[in-house]
């Protein structure tokens, strides 16, 4: 057999090795140059190079090496270039990698913080609940110190953001786990006619067969060929099923899939799978043994050794003690002998036990229970298995412990479409596991609608010693530095349930999330309680994600919808300051909002109001709908007329407002606030669909079918006249609050109405949206000699405030009922029914609600911040300011706000507290309008 | 994520919908007392049992419909048109 | 007369910025780019789009037997889509909206039910995604099962695409190439376009003109 005649710790070629000796790769580790091969993991390359310490532990800063040689190996987290927290025992080596240990101070070799081991008894579990509390003034200092101890890598602020995306997959059968049972299940399901997604966390399918002997490798080759022959199986390697949700909604994280998009590699992809059936073939995870020194570099699990030797031709040591309780431990001892490592076997099945491992930065010797002390640099344990049951938990199962095989098993609480294949269900030879997987796969396919169910052969439950802790204390959670001693102490302190102990000691709360430690934790608790049946202790609940997933993959491409009007390019060219209004981008102003106000009041301005909600209403029963939704009356709206309306919700709260115009016999256009566009549409539909399906009304949203622009100012009629055809624009022919259809700037099918949000003579034109920019530009061309200018949302807000027009959601809130917003003139309680009527009737019968009033600061230069409180006496709040601006028209500050009824009389002076604590006086004005209260300017 | 069986579109992911709430009969506005009205607005039976609810297919057919869902298991045993539409159909004899 | 009232010929524009070369064709500013790529995305917003609302089982539906969730070609240049329960969207040639509206209005004048015919040409953006992997592109941004058995040629659905409520019609090309029409409300058009291009980058998507 091959020997150790290799470079450093690199072995001669092994039968199942995955490294390509023809492709050497150079890389750096902790500042030094190293080489490995294509196919190596970072750790296997380093081990072959003679490195055995990769990190320092979380709390005690103890040197750590390989334990499990899997993704979740707690001592193998490193920094690779800009990328922190890379799982080096899983991540494949790449040329030029710059790998460094994480968070060591000052270096991996010598970390001063290891000194805190000396005060370990003061740093037992839960110490941070009892320390670093007093005195409070030292918290900044404590923070600095504790920061030094925090684990984790480094992210550079300017590191390039990786490429992440998502994908939806629909599949009949999803198989979680690509070992022999999983592969067999996938093949069987495909043969039944099902589409299959087969997912495995390793880079190649095969599970434990990959690092087995000749027979395993032969079975593996056969299975791989069978999988490849089935076109309906999609295989995803270096991927993991990380969550199972209702109805087999399954999250699969795919790592470095080897796909490039425009030259950038996808770093991680989240696949959202809806599967007819889920086969859980996740297998078994080897469990560590708890004893003194169990975290020393050189102490490894048997599967770690077999992976390193058989897959990567890396030699983990020269002189080994193998503590074995099962056939896998025995096979590991054989593998070690085969590569020339001296092996001392300690057999648990014949009463052998190990007591403690000794060494500093590397294992030096092991003390056995029989009194011997054996010099060695490698201690291998094979004390049993943890069933990878989290996906079953997520499907609603609470697995049960069986002491004979010493592990947990699924129960019959699983839904019919979640089935278990392989070692999770029991023990067997490779052929038996394959037969089990085959039957389960066919069953899964049948439950997903393909082929028929077949009887599933039972797998045996082979007896295995229950080995959790030796006679000494050791680490239970390597990531969190929680020892069995800590757990006994916690129980003594009264944390006696597994859920409490978990949270108090943080056991199982580290990056491996219980995979290596939860069963040992339960067993330790059982010991502490003096019970032998682990079922009495119970387990904590596994929740997604089963394996880590980056925030990048959860975020995906991160596109947020942004909505633009057809005139957006014009706004940008004219230096509009963009305002984010919900999903929309709107022009806030074009440089000087006050100047825009002046232009509108003196000459003419145009504002883009495209986001205004617009609903096309048709049918003979439209008036019924309007009467139901609005608080005022709509039965007699003449053709060509426009009316303002307010909507309240069923609790009487002001919900939305706008104008509705009647364009023809059975055709109306309703407008809503821009933020209410979708809500009002759904509101109208809910009434029509769930209360009045007999009403003959059709509602169609046309918000973005029209580009909307409001031309406002004394010269607006003159400007409109230059572009509008076919409409008599005189005040008699086209009065205020009326609507006309017209051709504007050569565009047919426009409609326009005279309304008065800004308080000036104005025409709101609605143009079929594709022509929006054309009409907008035509207006500016036509009005250049009139001094036309664009105005933005800010100028409009100022002008509407000058006129006392409230904005729903700004001057009203979730508790403002109709009468409180000064809408008494509008609310017609004599209507039979309308949305919110009962609450408004009740409100009309009482006085004790705040009133919306116009307010003017006594000092005209003070502009109170919106939401400033209005107070009475020292501390009583009696109202608030809802809108506040400096009015360029009146050259003074103006507000709207709420006050208690006894303060609402015009002339009352109230006190307002500003955010900086100053108190100023505001006077209640008559009505809400600060400017042109009679509204004469709009009606010319 | 559960799938909700829209009576028009078939089963779709629940994020396409808006769960409106327990189905309730709107009291007669002419005769309702304040207590009845507020019960209608604010109280729910909140059972750990089968409940009848209204759902709205926001990102699909934009229909409101009724669903019978078990609030503990999320099983849905029936989805159907709103009661008012079913009554209307019966009335028209179709 | 004020010289600034010189008439400009109206130009119609899609919310999707056209990819060069850009020309004005039939009154619309469109891209006239040609692509021979295996996977293409084209902006067809300029096509006429007319929506009809009527009883789901009434006289209009008898005359237009396009079931909800399917699409049909009553003639070569018109695609009728059963887009809603009691709602149809007809897509026709550029400039053909007025004629379609008139034809449909006259047709249902005696229907005895409320029928609304509304020109949505301006209110919706329309894109065509075609070629190999067009289903794989959509599957990155849409959770609907696009397998042939579930979403065959001439099937239609509305769902969430890149978080936008979008109508999708499977409308394979004459030569059998897999193709999808996507349409959503106008103001989100550029966003939808960007999302499809982004999802298609992995497969080498190319922009085609409005054809």
């Amino acid at each position: 057999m091959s020997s150790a005649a290799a470079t450093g710790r690199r072995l001669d070629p092994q039968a199942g090795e995955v490294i390509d000796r023809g492709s050497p790769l150079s890389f750096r580790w902790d500042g030094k140059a190293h080489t490995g091969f294509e196919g190596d993991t970072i750790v296997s390359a380093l081990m072959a190079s003679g490195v055995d310490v990769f990190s320092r532990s979380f709390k005690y800063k103890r040197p750590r090496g390989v334990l499990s040689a899997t993704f979740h190996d707690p001592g193998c987290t490193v920094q690779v270039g800009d990328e922190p927290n890379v799982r080096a025992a899983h991540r494949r080596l790449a040329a030029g990698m710059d790998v460094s240990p994480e968070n060591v101070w000052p270096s991996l070799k010598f970390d001063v913080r290891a000194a805190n081991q000396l005060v370990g008894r003061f740093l037992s579990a839960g110490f941070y609940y009892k320390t670093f509390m007093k005195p409070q003034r030292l918290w900044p200092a404590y923070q600095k110190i504790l920061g030094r101890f925090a684990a984790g890598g480094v992210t550079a602020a300017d590191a390039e953001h990786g490429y992440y995306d998502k994908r939806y997959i629909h599949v009949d059968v999803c198989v979680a786990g690509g070992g022999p049972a999983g592969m067999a299940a996938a093949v069987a399901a495909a043969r039944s006619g099902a589409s299959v997604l087969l997912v495995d966390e390793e880079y190649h399918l095969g599970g434990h067969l990959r690092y087995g002997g000749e027979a395993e490798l032969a079975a593996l080759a056969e299975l791989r060929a069978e999988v490849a022959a089935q076109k309906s199986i999609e295989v995803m390697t270096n991927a993991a099923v990380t969550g199972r949700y209702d109805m087999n909604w399954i999250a699969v994280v795919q790592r470095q899939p080897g796909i490039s998009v425009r030259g950038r590699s996808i770093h991680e992809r989240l696949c959202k799978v809806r599967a007819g059936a889920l086969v859980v073939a996740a297998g078994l995870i080897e469990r560590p043994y708890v004893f003194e020194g169990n975290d020393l570099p050189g102490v490894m699990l048997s599967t770690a050794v077999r992976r390193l030797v058989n897959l990567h031709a890396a030699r983990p040591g020269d002189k080994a003690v193998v503590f074995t309780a099962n056939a896998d431990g025995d096979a590991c001892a054989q593998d070690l002998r085969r590569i020339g490592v001296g092996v001392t076997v300690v057999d648990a099945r014949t009463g052998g036990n190990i007591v403690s491992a000794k060494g500093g930065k590397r294992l030096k010797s092991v003390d056995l229970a029989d009194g011997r002390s054996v010099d060695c640099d490698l201690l291998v344990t094979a004390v049993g298995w943890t069933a990878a049951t989290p996906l079953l938990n997520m499907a609603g199962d609470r697995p049960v412990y069986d002491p004979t095989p010493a592990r947990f098993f699924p129960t019959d609480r699983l839904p019919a479409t979640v089935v278990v294949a392989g070692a999770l269900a029991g023990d067997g030879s490779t052929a038996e596991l394959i037969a089990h997987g085959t039957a389960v796969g066919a069953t899964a396919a049948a439950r997903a609608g393909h082929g028929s169910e077949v009887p599933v052969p039972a797998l045996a439950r082979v007896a295995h010693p229950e080995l959790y802790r030796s006679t000494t204390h050791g680490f239970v959670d390597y990531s969190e530095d929680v020892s069995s001693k800590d757990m006994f102490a916690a129980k003594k302190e009264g944390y006696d349930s597994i859920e409490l102990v978990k949270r108090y000691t943080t056991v199982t709360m580290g990056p491996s999330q219980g995979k290596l430690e939860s069963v040992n934790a339960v067993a330790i608790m059982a010991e502490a309680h003096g019970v032998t049946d682990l079922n009495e202790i119970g387990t904590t609940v596994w929740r997604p994600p089963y394996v880590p997933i980056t925030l990048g993959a959860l975020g995906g491409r991160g596109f947020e919808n942004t909505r633009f009007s057809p005139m957006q390019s014009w706004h940008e060219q004219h230096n509009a300051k963009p305002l984010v209004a919900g999903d929309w981008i709107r022009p806030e102003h074009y440089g000087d909002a006050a100047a825009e106000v002046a232009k509108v009041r003196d000459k003419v301005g145009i504002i883009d109001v495209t986001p205004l909600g617009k609903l096309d209403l048709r049918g003979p029963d439209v008036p019924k709908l309007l009467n139901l939704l609005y608080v005022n009356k709509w039965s007699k709206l003449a053709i060509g007329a426009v009316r303002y309306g307010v909507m309240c919700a069923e609790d009487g709260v002001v919900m939305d407002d706008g104008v509705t115009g009647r364009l023809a016999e059975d055709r109306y256009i309703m407008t809503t606030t821009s933020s209410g566009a979708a809500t009002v549409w759904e509101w109208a539909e809910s009434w029509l669909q769930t209360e009045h399906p007999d009403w003959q009304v059709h509602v169609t949203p046309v918000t973005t079918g029209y580009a909307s622009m409001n031309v406002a100012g004394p010269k607006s009629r003159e400007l409109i006249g230059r572009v509008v055809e076919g409409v008599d624009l005189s005040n008699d022919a086209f009065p205020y609050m009326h609507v006309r259809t017209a051709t504007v700037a050569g565009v047919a099918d426009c409609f326009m109405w005279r309304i008065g949000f800004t308080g000036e003579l104005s025409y709101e034109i609605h143009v079929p949206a594709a022509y929006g920019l054309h009409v907008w530009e035509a207006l500016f061309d036509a009005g250049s000699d009139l001094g036309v200018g664009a105005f933005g949302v800010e100028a409009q807000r100022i002008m509407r405030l000058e006129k006392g027009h409230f904005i729903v959601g700004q001057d009203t809130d979730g508790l403002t009922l109709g009468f409180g917003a000064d809408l008494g003139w509008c609310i017609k309680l004599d209507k039979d029914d309308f949305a919110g009527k009962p609450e408004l009737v009740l409100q009309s019968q009482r006085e004790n609600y705040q009133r919306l009033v116009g307010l003017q600061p006594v000092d005209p230069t003070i502009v109170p911040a919106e939401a400033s409180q209005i107070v009475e006496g020292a501390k009583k709040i009696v109202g608030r300011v809802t809108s506040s601006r400096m009015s360029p028209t009146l050259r003074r500050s103006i507000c709207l706000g709420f006050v208690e009824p006894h303060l609402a009389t015009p002339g009352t002076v109230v006190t307002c507290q500003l955010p900086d604590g100053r108190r100023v006086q505001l006077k209640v004005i008559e009505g809400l309008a600060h400017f042109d209260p009679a509204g004469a300017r709009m009606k010319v | 994520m559960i799938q909700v069986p829209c009576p028009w579109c078939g089963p779709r992911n629940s994020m396409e919908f808006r769960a409106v709430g327990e189905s309730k009969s709107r009291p007669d506005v002419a005769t309702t007392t304040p207590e009845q009205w507020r019960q209608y607005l604010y109280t729910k039976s909140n059972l750990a049992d089968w409940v009848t609810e209204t759902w709205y297919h926001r990102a699909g057919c934009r229909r409101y419909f009724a669903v019978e869902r078990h609030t503990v298991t999320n099983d849905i045993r029936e989805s159907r048109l709103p009661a008012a539409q079913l009554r209307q159909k019966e009335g028209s004899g179709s | 007369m004020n010289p600034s009232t010189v008439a400009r010929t109206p130009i119609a524009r899609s919310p999707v910025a056209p990819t060069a070369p850009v020309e004005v064709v039939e009154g619309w500013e469109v891209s006239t780019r040609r692509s021979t790529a295996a996977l293409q995305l084209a902006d067809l917003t300029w096509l006429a789009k007319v929506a009809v609302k009527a009883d789901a089982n009434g006289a209009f539906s008898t005359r237009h037997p396009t079931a909800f969730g399917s699409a049909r070609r009553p003639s070569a240049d018109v695609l009728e889509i059963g887009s809603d329960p009691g709602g149809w969207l007809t897509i026709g040639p550029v400039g053909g909206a007025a004629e379609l509206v008139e034809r449909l209005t006259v047709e249902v004048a005696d229907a005895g039910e409320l029928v609304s015919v509304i020109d949505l040409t301006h209110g919706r953006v329309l894109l065509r995604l075609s070629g190999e992997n067009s289903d794989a592109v959509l599957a990155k941004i849409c959770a609907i099962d696009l397998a042939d058995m579930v979403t065959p040629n001439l099937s239609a659905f509305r769902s969430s695409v890149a978080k936008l409520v979008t109508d999708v019609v499977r409308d394979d090309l004459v030569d059998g190439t897999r193709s999808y029409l996507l349409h959503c409300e106008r103001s989100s058009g550029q966003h939808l376009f960007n999302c499809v291009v982004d999802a298609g980058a992995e497969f080498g998507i190319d922009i085609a003109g409005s054809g």
Side-chain angles (χ1 to χ4, degrees), chain A residues 647-721:
Chain A
M647 294 187 191
C648 291
E650 287 273 66
D651 57 2
V653 170
V654 177
M655 192 180 108
D656 206 87
D657 69 344
V659 300
T660 292
R662 187 176 188 182
L663 272 60
E665 175 79 30
D666 281 355
R667 188 177 165 216
Y668 297 70
I669 298 278
M670 171 190 282
T671 65
T672 73
T673 62
S674 38
S675 45
T679 316
V680 172
W681 177 35
E682 289 183 14
W683 181 235
E685 283 293 334
S686 80
W687 284 103
L688 292 172
Q689 290 184 31
T690 67
E691 292 287 333
H692 300 287
D694 52 312
W695 285 3
Q696 298 285 291
V697 185
H698 286 156
V699 180
T700 307
V702 292
T703 298
T704 57
Y706 290 98
S708 307
M709 50 205 90
N710 196 304
V711 182
K715 297 195 184 285
S716 56
R717 179 179 284 120
E718 193 180 340
L719 174 53
I720 296 295

Side-chain angles (χ1 to χ4, degrees), chain C residues 88-128:
Chain C
W88 292 261
L89 185 72
T90 301
I91 299 182
V94 179
E99 195 245 309
L100 267 176
V101 168
E102 205 194 302
R103 176 154 55 81
L104 291 166
T105 307
V106 158
E107 198 186 86
V108 297
D110 60 347
E113 63 187 81
L114 176 62
V115 179
S116 297
V117 181
I118 304 184
D119 182 358
L120 289 187
T121 302
H122 292 263
R124 304 195 66 78
V125 74
L126 180 68
L127 307 177
R128 182 182 281 286

Side-chain angles (χ1 to χ4, degrees), chain A residues 274 650 682 689 833 839, chain B residues 1 13 18 26 38 64:
Chain A
R274 180 74 72 180
E650 287 273 66
E682 289 183 14
Q689 290 184 31
D833 186 14
E839 280 297 339
Chain B
M1 161 154 56
N13 289 342
R18 184 161 60 82
R26 186 170 184 259
R38 275 122 190 214
Y64 286 83

